Amino acid sequence: MGLTKYWESCKISLYNSLVYKADFISNSLFIGLIIFIFVYLWKAVYGSGHGVIEGFTISMMVWYFVMTESIVTAPGRLIEEIGEDVQSGEIATKLNKPYNSVLFKYAYNMGQTLLRFILTFLVGGIIAFLFLGGVEINWLTLPLVGIVIILALTLHFCMMMLLGIFTFWFEDAKALNFLYNKIIFVFGGMLLPLEIFPQWLAKISAVMPFSFVAYHPARLFVIFNLNNFIRTIFLELIWIALFSGLIAIFYKSFIKKISINGG
Amino acid sequence: MAAIIKVENISKEFRIKEKEPGLKGSLKSLFTSKYKSIDAVDNISFNVNKGEVVGFIGPNGAGKSTTIKMMTGILFPSSGKINVINYDPQKERKKLAFKVGTVFGQKPQLWYHLPAIDTFNLFAKIYEIPEKQYQQRLKELIKTFEVEEVINQPVRKLSLGQRMRCEMIASLLHNPEVLFLDEPTIGMDIVAKKRIRELIKNLNENDGVTVILTSHDLEDVEQVCKRLIIINNGKIVYDGSTKGIREKYLNFKIIQVILNEKTESLNLGLKNVKAVFKGKFRHVIEIDTSKHPIQEVVKKIVSKYNVEDINILDPPIEEIISRIYQNKTDHKDQKWD
Amino acid sequence: MKQTSSIKGHWELFKEYVKLNLATALEYRFSFVVQTITMVLNDITWLIFWWIFFTKFGSLNGWQIEHILVLYALLNLSYGLAGMFFGNKNHISSMISEGRLDFYINFPKNILFHVLISRSNWFGVGDALFGLILAAITLSLKQWPLFLLLTLSSTIIFVSFAVLAHSLAFYFGNSSETSRSLNMGIVTMSSYPSQMFGGVAKFLMLTVFPAGFISGIPVQLLYQFNWFWLISTILFSLMFLATSIYFFYKGLRKYESGSMITSRI
């Protein structure tokens, strides 16, 4: 037993998401469109005489964006999903089952998340490749970047889970989802790498947890550097630990509230 | 009498998608889609005269809603001709809409979060009813339907019966000549059902409104409609008087008996009695009432056995339909009046 | 009883729906306010993105931050208005697949018009207000008449595009996801300077995916007026509207009233 139930949960979510092929196809089309827009945006910028901007060539810039986009959009509308469970009290009915609800949700979600990550990366990668060709990558470092990405997705999950639990007090999950996403878009460095930011803003954004979801992993993907790698993993783990602690605290107080109100 | 509704040889075909079960099926459906077509309505014809109340019954998915939806212009028939109050519902939808009212039991038209009166005002605008005329009509309807106390409460707070009465008012504001009611009593308790049936009857008798009603509750139809059309698998299997069906096909009843002592089987010594279920204490039999009056059978049971409980039931509608079907295939040329 | 469905009758209906929708929104004041604030915050984050971008690069194919501000003013106002008054546009496909068009077909009013006005997205208020404020900051008084005219044509294109995208459900069953993505696509595409695109993309943006007519050309017109493009934009919006109406009614013949649809595309 032990961890196998979580693995099963992960598998079921994979099957389940295959049923929703419309979501999948239209989702990848939409992501394809955004990457397509950014290809043109960067072409316009680099076209006016820049060869390398802050260490990024144009293809590095586009591949950077493909990576951030793939990570950030991978969990889908997780906050809304958790919000529904929380507000309907359904999460409480799952309490008497012999598993940790949060971990179970993590496993369930990771199945879909990884699948979506791969799909987006493929779609985006094809577009980037067609317009700009490949990017120079040291294949040996890819497994290391892989670890950073998994941790980034985990941190992403933790923050979304926390916000999902918050919907118990602040009911509008959609609004929370929207705002969280926008913060990652801009301050997490999904749209633009922090090198483009004014220095003061870059410094603040670099230490915030949001940039460990998007900027740091994607930068390691296009420009690998061992020191940065170690530093990123270390800080990712710290943020994950911190958010897990917060989830534990708020989850407990949420459970208490429901058992008092009877769900 | 003049026919107000003429339906000639209409059919409606739907395409449905098929998916194989399991992961393999899901993967397959990513690339290909298989369709199957189904005749929801298959070459149906009938006329309805002004002032009639006609009940459509049949099991779920038999095609009764589809037929009604074609008559009101919601669906386009795959083939055939329809004429309602001298309009073609598909081509002259707007003109027709001024003269018919529709109530769909499963698709409420009232605004859920607002009081019913708000929806009435909206409908008055939709039908362009002059203000004075509207107020007068509304007053009448509110009185007839006895909803004075509830029209100012948000609809979500009303009971099903109250809601349906308000739904009906909404559809009657513009004085329609024909009223289509699709499952108006669905989900209601017996008291509420009875109210709705009485209201429909009055509407027909006092105002001369022609009513087309569908239901899968046989009682609805028996109490309200003089004429009955039974639809099964997209075909009309019976079109005639409600009385007639009782005489022809409802000549059998189901009796359920619960005994105080264990008994192998009920032995009444009657010829036209069929055992449907044999339990230790519970027994269900079916009797032909034209051969043995129900009193006779009940008397016999009570005198012969120690009875805890006894129930007399109408056979389920599916049962009647299958009987009609059997009959129909037996004498193919028989015409149903 | 007068048995017409005149323009006046439709106008009365429109007013009645605005009233009812407002009443419903007021029943849910809190979430209405939250949604409005969210929308404005969302717009502000995008402006921060462009501010970072232009601080670093100065200009993009001749566009500066002020062009972006005008673009956002126009986009927000027209999208907000489309949502406020024709809020049902984003629900048409699910209404088709769940059979909820029945209601409208049984009324003596124009079906498409009636469907569109019968629901309101009140968070469109947030977008519209934000658009107006941005316009007030960036535009001179002389530019306003043209700005409002162009806003109107963009609103028409937004609504027509939604009708087209959601009418796919007549042909493919439940298409809500695809229709929604297409809609998100056109909004996204419209929120970038259209001058940076070229080739096939430019062609699509001036035809089936008319983001160019929604924002790029109007912004250009506000800075460099040109009769040809003004007339083209207005003609295009009307033609696009006509196409969407045609497509909707053609699909309506296939409407199944939710009877038989079992799965999604």
Side-chain angles (χ1 to χ4, degrees):
Chain A
M1 266 315 270
L3 285 176
T4 48
K5 55 193 167 196
Y6 298 111
W7 170 236
E8 277 307 312
S9 158
C10 185
K11 249 171 45 191
I12 285 177
S13 102
L14 265 176
Y15 290 176
N16 195 32
S17 53
L18 281 177
V19 178
Y20 297 112
K21 65 168 169 173
D23 295 29
F24 256 81
I25 296 171
S26 57
N27 201 35
S28 2
L29 276 178
F30 182 64
I31 285 162
L33 175 73
I34 293 182
I35 289 168
F36 177 82
I37 291 175
F38 269 73
V39 166
Y40 274 101
L41 183 68
W42 288 120
K43 269 187 161 178
V45 172
Y46 279 86
S48 45
H50 303 276
V52 179
I53 297 172
E54 305 291 348
F56 287 80
T57 63
I58 181 164
S59 72
M60 280 159 90
M61 196 63 103
V62 170
W63 279 95
Y64 168 91
F65 182 64
V66 171
M67 179 54 80
T68 56
E69 177 84 19
S70 306
I71 298 173
V72 172
T73 58
R77 289 183 216 119
L78 182 63
I79 296 178
E80 286 172 51
E81 280 168 37
I82 297 169
E84 268 166 38
D85 275 6
V86 164
Q87 283 171 33
S88 65
E90 202 185 304
I91 215 162
T93 61
K94 290 175 183 164
L95 283 180
N96 48 10
K97 303 240 171 75
Y99 52 69
N100 176 324
S101 310
V102 177
L103 261 185
F104 189 79
K105 186 81 198 167
Y106 173 70
Y108 184 86
N109 194 263
M110 261 311 177
Q112 285 183 8
T113 301
L114 285 174
L115 187 67
R116 255 191 242 133
F117 170 80
I118 292 167
L119 208 82
T120 311
F121 192 74
L122 280 176
V123 171
I126 289 168
I127 293 172
F129 187 80
L130 287 179
F131 279 89
L132 299 159
V135 61
E136 247 176 69
I137 289 170
N138 184 349
W139 293 96
L140 287 175
T141 62
L142 265 192
L144 296 178
V145 177
I147 300 170
V148 174
I149 291 168
I150 301 248
L151 288 176
L153 288 170
T154 306
L155 175 60
H156 201 20
F157 171 86
C158 289
M159 291 196 274
M160 292 179 109
M161 184 78 206
L162 187 63
L163 288 172
I165 294 171
F166 280 169
T167 59
F168 182 68
W169 293 276
F170 177 82
E171 283 173 16
D172 203 322
K174 227 177 180 169
L176 282 176
N177 199 16
F178 224 75
L179 290 180
Y180 171 72
N181 267 317
K182 294 297 128 64
I183 288 173
I184 298 260
F185 280 14
V186 176
F187 302 106
M190 186 191 97
L191 300 171
L192 301 169
L194 303 190
E195 279 83 354
I196 307 294
F197 287 27
Q199 248 181 13
W200 61 273
L201 190 58
K203 269 186 189 150
I204 299 169
S205 302
V207 292
M208 298 287 273
F210 313 113
S211 61
F212 287 92
V213 172
Y215 167 73
H216 293 287
R219 192 169 185 279
L220 279 170
F221 172 65
V222 292
I223 311 172
F224 190 84
N225 168 312
L226 197 62
N227 277 338
N228 274 347
F229 167 73
I230 293 164
R231 211 180 130 264
T232 303
I233 292 237
F234 178 69
L235 284 164
E236 277 180 335
L237 286 173
I238 287 185
W239 280 119
I240 290 170
L242 199 94
F243 278 104
S244 304
L246 286 174
I247 290 170
I249 292 167
F250 280 100
Y251 191 68
K252 258 187 203 141
S253 93
F254 155 69
I255 294 298
K256 240 190 228 160
K257 276 263 168 53
I258 325 193
S259 43
I260 289 168
N261 300 335
Chain B
M1 248 191 292
I4 197 164
I5 298 175
K6 283 178 247 168
V7 173
E8 281 171 49
N9 305 99
I10 53 162
S11 297
K12 179 73 187 175
E13 199 177 72
F14 287 118
R15 286 204 318 161
I16 56 169
K17 200 165 177 179
E18 289 182 314
K19 180 185 119 36
E20 288 166 36
L23 178 63
K24 211 179 136 198
S26 312
L27 278 175
K28 244 185 174 172
S29 76
L30 269 175
F31 305 105
T32 55
S33 300
K34 256 203 255 167
Y35 290 96
K36 179 172 95 177
S37 54
I38 277 191
D39 292 315
V41 169
D42 188 3
N43 200 18
I44 278 182
S45 303
F46 60 87
N47 283 352
V48 176
N49 289 331
K50 200 168 161 44
E52 266 193 298
V53 184
V54 181
F56 274 76
I57 57 168
N60 279 331
K64 47 190 189 331
S65 291
T66 306
T67 309
I68 281 218
K69 283 172 182 168
M70 287 192 280
M71 287 193 265
T72 58
I74 291 174
L75 292 175
F76 275 72
S78 309
S79 64
K81 256 167 65 186
I82 304 177
N83 188 300
V84 180
I85 326 178
N86 287 325
Y87 294 120
D88 176 335
Q90 278 68 39
K91 289 189 188 130
E92 294 160 298
R93 182 188 63 80
K94 278 190 210 164
K95 284 181 192 157
L96 179 65
F98 277 114
K99 301 209 168 169
V100 301
T102 46
V103 176
F104 290 97
Q106 284 156 310
K107 287 179 187 168
Q109 8 188 19
L110 299 171
W111 285 52
Y112 190 65
H113 298 290
L114 300 177
I117 185 76
D118 284 332
T119 306
F120 299 158
N121 293 338
L122 173 71
F123 277 34
K125 288 272 167 10
I126 292 178
Y127 289 108
E128 299 174 31
I129 310 171
E131 185 61 20
K132 224 172 129 191
Q133 195 181 326
Y134 162 61
Q135 290 304 342
Q136 198 190 339
R137 175 79 176 151
L138 184 62
K139 226 165 86 189
E140 278 168 32
L141 287 169
I142 288 175
K143 216 174 131 206
T144 331
F145 283 77
E146 293 173 22
V147 288
E148 290 91 344
E149 294 98 53
V150 300
I151 53 162
N152 287 312
Q153 290 171 28
V155 171
R156 61 169 187 271
K157 292 185 178 151
L158 308 187
S159 74
L160 260 181
Q162 291 169 332
R163 257 183 236 176
M164 184 47 66
R165 276 182 273 154
C166 290
E167 288 279 348
M168 286 179 66
I169 292 180
S171 317
L172 290 168
L173 289 169
H174 61 294
N175 253 318
E177 289 176 34
V178 180
L179 185 62
F180 291 96
L181 298 163
D182 193 17
E183 304 281 359
T185 60
I186 201 156
M188 282 180 202
D189 60 57
I190 296 172
V191 183
K193 272 186 185 177
K194 224 177 134 201
R195 276 305 303 282
I196 298 291
R197 284 174 196 150
E198 277 166 15
L199 285 166
I200 297 172
K201 246 168 130 175
N202 288 344
L203 211 61
N204 172 254
E205 282 162 14
N206 303 340
D207 301 352
V209 179
T210 308
V211 178
I212 309 285
L213 173 116
T214 75
S215 180
H216 55 254
D217 184 340
L218 191 58
E219 249 190 282
D220 270 353
V221 178
E222 275 199 287
Q223 307 207 345
V224 180
C225 311
K226 290 205 181 79
R227 179 176 163 204
L228 184 61
I229 294 178
I230 301 181
I231 297 187
N232 192 34
N233 289 328
K235 290 194 171 76
I236 293 184
V237 292
Y238 177 86
D239 180 357
S241 73
T242 311
K243 250 194 206 155
I245 196 157
R246 184 155 279 288
E247 282 156 12
K248 270 189 187 137
Y249 304 104
L250 278 182
N251 52 0
F252 64 101
K253 290 261 178 194
I254 308 271
I255 300 182
Q256 177 183 283
V257 190
I258 294 171
L259 302 173
N260 277 327
E261 56 210 323
K262 270 191 196 174
T263 311
E264 286 271 313
S265 66
L266 290 183
N267 196 345
L268 302 171
L270 296 172
K271 242 190 171 179
N272 291 293
V273 172
K274 209 169 83 191
V276 180
F277 178 83
K278 284 184 206 171
K280 279 176 187 151
F281 296 95
R282 194 167 79 92
H283 293 269
V284 182
I285 55 170
E286 193 187 287
I287 61 162
D288 186 336
T289 45
S290 63
K291 304 278 163 50
H292 306 290
I294 199 109
Q295 286 140 298
E296 183 196 325
V297 182
V298 173
K299 244 183 218 163
K300 231 173 196 151
I301 296 172
V302 179
S303 67
K304 219 172 162 186
Y305 295 98
N306 186 356
V307 174
E308 156 105 29
D309 189 17
I310 190 160
N311 258 314
I312 302 163
L313 308 163
D314 271 326
I317 186 143
E318 284 78 8
E319 183 64 31
I320 299 176
I321 288 168
S322 80
R323 257 157 219 257
I324 292 170
Y325 245 144
Q326 279 168 15
N327 228 326
K328 197 171 183 175
T329 44
D330 286 349
H331 332 269
K332 265 196 178 126
D333 297 323
Q334 191 171 340
K335 179 107 172 92
W336 308 101
D337 50 330
Chain C
M1 199 187 302
K2 211 180 70 179
Q3 295 190 352
T4 57
S5 30
S6 55
I7 290 178
K8 186 168 167 276
H10 282 88
W11 170 243
E12 290 291 319
L13 188 68
F14 180 72
K15 283 195 297 189
E16 192 67 25
Y17 268 115
V18 170
K19 253 194 277 173
L20 280 184
N21 279 315
L22 199 61
T24 310
L26 288 175
E27 285 259 307
Y28 299 91
R29 254 153 298 180
F30 179 71
S31 91
F32 170 49
V33 171
V34 168
Q35 283 177 342
T36 309
I37 294 173
T38 312
M39 284 299 146
V40 173
L41 284 176
N42 165 58
D43 293 333
I44 290 176
T45 35
W46 281 109
L47 289 181
I48 293 176
F49 158 74
W50 284 113
W51 169 74
I52 294 171
F53 185 90
F54 283 106
T55 308
K56 178 78 185 175
F57 300 116
S59 80
L60 181 77
N61 283 6
W63 274 47
Q64 260 131 22
I65 187 92
E66 55 174 301
H67 294 86
I68 294 286
L69 292 180
V70 174
L71 184 146
Y72 268 70
L74 191 106
L75 202 61
N76 276 297
L77 185 55
S78 53
Y79 193 71
L81 289 175
M84 276 161 71
F85 297 114
F86 305 100
N88 230 355
K89 67 182 165 56
N90 298 331
H91 303 279
I92 297 174
S93 57
S94 57
M95 296 179 78
I96 292 168
S97 57
E98 290 160 20
R100 283 185 285 125
L101 283 187
D102 295 10
F103 176 81
Y104 302 93
I105 297 174
N106 281 326
F107 285 127
K109 284 282 169 292
N110 182 293
I111 299 172
L112 182 56
F113 179 74
H114 195 173
V115 167
L116 286 171
I117 61 170
S118 63
R119 177 163 5 178
S120 181
N121 267 338
W122 282 104
F123 54 82
V125 175
D127 283 332
L129 273 178
F130 190 70
L132 279 176
I133 293 169
L134 274 183
I137 296 170
T138 48
L139 296 177
S140 67
L141 210 59
K142 248 173 52 194
Q143 288 170 302
W144 272 87
L146 182 59
F147 173 75
L148 291 178
L149 180 66
L150 292 166
T151 300
L152 185 69
S153 86
S154 300
T155 308
I156 292 173
I157 298 176
F158 267 134
V159 175
S160 312
F161 187 82
V163 170
L164 276 171
H166 284 275
S167 296
L168 288 176
F170 284 125
Y171 303 89
F172 301 109
N174 190 348
S175 71
S176 354
E177 280 302 322
T178 317
S179 310
R180 257 210 348 230
S181 291
L182 282 170
N183 258 315
M184 266 160 63
I186 193 102
V187 178
T188 308
M189 197 83 171
S190 311
S191 64
Y192 291 84
S194 59
Q195 275 64 15
M196 69 192 202
F197 297 99
V200 184
K202 196 150 217 164
F203 175 74
L204 290 176
M205 286 173 75
L206 297 178
T207 50
V208 287
F209 208 68
F213 281 115
I214 289 174
S215 65
I217 293 169
V219 172
Q220 205 75 348
L221 274 171
L222 280 163
Y223 283 93
Q224 270 180 307
F225 184 77
N226 170 333
W227 278 107
F228 172 75
W229 280 110
L230 177 67
I231 292 167
S232 306
T233 305
I234 290 175
L235 276 181
F236 179 85
S237 71
L238 295 177
M239 261 162 53
F240 205 60
L241 177 66
T243 312
S244 73
I245 293 171
Y246 172 77
F247 202 64
F248 177 85
Y249 281 98
K250 202 159 178 257
L252 195 61
R253 298 184 64 100
K254 290 178 179 283
Y255 177 57
E256 297 191 346
S257 181
S259 313
M260 290 282 174
I261 291 157
T262 47
S263 76
R264 316 152 53 107
I265 54 162

